[in-house]
Amino acid sequence: MKKLFTLALLACAGSAFAQLPVSTQPSLKNALIEEFTGINCVYCPDGHKIAAQIVAANPNRAFAVNIHTGGFATPSAGQPDFRTTDGTAIAAIPTMGITGYPQGAVNRAFYPTTATAMAMSRGSWTAAVNAQLTQSAYANIAGAATLDINTRVLTVDIEVYYTANSPAATNKLTVMLLQNNINGPQTGGAQFNPTMVNPDGSYRHMKALRDVITTGATGQDITPTTQGSLVTQTLTYTIPATIGTLPVDLSNLEILAVVSEGVTNVINVAKAPISYTGFTTTNNAAVTSLNSIEDICVNTLSPTIQIKNNGSAAVTSADITYSINGGTPSTYNYTGSINPLGTASVTLPAISFTLGASNTLNVDVTTVNGGTDDDPSDNSGNTTFNSTTSTSPTVNLTLKILQDRYGDEITWKFFDDAGTQLANGGPYAQLSANGTLMNTHNVVVPASGCYRVVVYDSYGDGINSGYGAGNITLLDGYGAQVYYNNGVFASEAARNFQVTGNTNTTGIQENSSLTSLNIYPNPAQSTAMIAFDLKETAQVNIRLTNSLGQVISYERLGQKAFGSHNHLMDVSALPAGLYLAEIETGNGTSFVKFTVAH
């Protein structure tokens, strides 16, 4: 990479820079939050959320940067490395005093004033920012940047104007390059900042420090610093394709310009907007990707696609045509605003199709901004997806979750094809040491159709990551496997499955002690009689569960002889709905589904 700069003292405040000249009027300080974070830090997403809320509450007054540093930022095998040399140097400022993560410094000042370290816990950031925003700034700072998309050369123009004398003859100027929307792992993301978790379970990292483009991580000297002085600086920086192991996306960059008394005590901070040059087209929308589609069991789909603006004009409208398996195409009229080099996620309205074993979605952008796209070569995209191979012949299902040590992080839900929640469970008890414990739930779905089971891990490391080899198994009413997951996932493991037309209300095949099983009346109002025939003497227990898999009652009937038996249950106090009565013997479990209708 290449860093060049020029420094000059001008006699007047005038400038031709696009976002300049800098103000010459006395002003209050803006605030900079430098958050020290890491991808393996469980509470760091809460820090990201708090910093983002402070920035949103103080537009153009408060700014944030996420600096990945310390042990929690050290990547494990296969993880990306967000750390930077400059970020490590900022964290090592002697008075920073980082003692945990996440912590952050606000304007590299002590808060409260009696503190001995600039880094503070996230609970103090709001008050520290508010205190800084009321203080007078003796220097104003402003900037503007241009970026050639072909050469990747970034030119940044900075102006600093002193409305009063600085107590230090030499101050520091720091220009930071940040990157947004970096998808990657993040422990605790789903638990503490779920809005930043993508559908695939990855986390959307924002305001990540990628480089300091001035000389020296903690700033380079500027002078003079007396009232009426105007310092200008031009920096030229060639943006590399990658920094560390992370690609640098030109469309997701930010620049922060910071002036401080020295290494500490930020006087003011501002964002330098970026203008892009080097475009060869004006109206140019590209279909960059189509979100992956899980195996499904429905004949309607609302696909999500990514559109990138490769032209110099903002994309404010586009016609998008799409079809599945060569069927009748649908057209969606997109309206919005995608800035040059920007990307938008567009969810298309549902389209009906005939589901096959393998299916293909085709998408085309046909018009941009009411006219022809200047470069139609990138207007099309397609993706394939399959129908689910997970099926159950019964509406009676058994979910078995072999938890790891941290059962308090695990929950689960069942949904129908409309997204309505049908059942849920968890969290579970935390074990005293690494290991596993089986949790079994009976779930009755209403009828044949398409359903979805999702198991969540709030920590974001699944249930088989070194603290016990957990797994997930979904069985049909006959004990056959519908779905299996080895427990290695991030925030969630999910599967769509089909319940076929055979919605038998009983299942006795898995219990060799029984020859018949029935319940009457069905629906029941106040009482229900369970009738069963034993072909041998057996110890019999009856368990009653609701459609959420929650156990309502458990009765031990004791030793029962060969022959027919009846057991009367009082259901008068039960809410109306679907229930499952299970007969347990030493040779298995049988079930019968019934309805309570008062």
Side-chain angles (χ1 to χ4, degrees), residues 533-550:
D533 290 319
L534 290 173
K535 64 181 182 181
E536 60 190 5
T537 299
Q539 177 74 31
V540 178
N541 304 317
I542 295 181
R543 177 170 54 197
L544 181 63
T545 60
N546 62 17
S547 61
L548 298 179
Q550 299 167 330

Side-chain angles (χ1 to χ4, degrees), residues 32-246:
L32 172 67
I33 306 169
E34 292 173 293
E35 180 183 351
F36 303 104
T37 187
I39 59 175
N40 295 308
C41 163
V42 65
Y43 295 110
C44 285
D46 192 46
H48 304 160
K49 180 174 65 176
I50 292 171
Q53 291 170 341
I54 294 172
V55 171
N58 299 280
N60 300 316
R61 296 290 316 280
F63 304 90
V65 54
N66 282 336
I67 299 173
H68 291 252
T69 186
F72 289 112
T74 302
S76 301
Q79 289 184 328
D81 194 348
F82 282 76
R83 297 172 300 174
T84 61
T85 301
D86 290 333
T88 301
I90 292 171
I93 292 174
T95 52
M96 194 63 75
I98 301 171
T99 57
Y101 297 87
Q103 285 190 333
V106 176
N107 279 358
R108 297 185 188 174
F110 296 110
Y111 181 84
T113 54
T114 55
T116 57
M118 296 183 294
M120 65 193 84
S121 65
R122 60 192 184 280
S124 300
W125 296 349
T126 299
V129 167
N130 291 339
Q132 288 291 313
L133 294 179
T134 63
Q135 297 181 18
S136 297
Y138 56 77
N140 298 328
I141 188 169
T146 58
L147 174 57
D148 188 311
I149 64 170
N150 298 307
T151 64
R152 302 178 71 94
V153 172
L154 175 71
T155 303
V156 185
D157 295 314
I158 303 293
E159 291 185 356
V160 180
Y161 183 81
Y162 287 85
T163 60
N165 293 331
S166 170
T170 301
N171 288 164
K172 294 281 189 181
L173 174 67
T174 307
V175 178
M176 300 178 175
L177 180 69
L178 317 183
Q179 187 173 341
N180 292 314
N181 296 307
I182 306 175
N183 294 330
Q186 177 61 64
T187 300
Q191 183 176 3
F192 292 104
N193 200 2
T195 60
M196 300 306 291
V197 177
N198 299 309
D200 64 359
S202 63
Y203 186 84
R204 197 162 66 255
H205 292 270
M206 307 294 289
K207 314 290 186 183
L209 178 68
R210 306 310 302 126
D211 204 356
V212 173
I213 65 176
T214 40
T215 302
T218 55
Q220 62 190 39
D221 292 345
I222 57 172
T223 189
T225 62
T226 53
Q227 183 177 6
S229 298
L230 174 64
V231 177
T232 68
Q233 187 165 346
T234 298
L235 299 97
T236 303
Y237 173 82
T238 301
I239 299 176
T242 60
I243 296 177
T245 62
L246 296 174

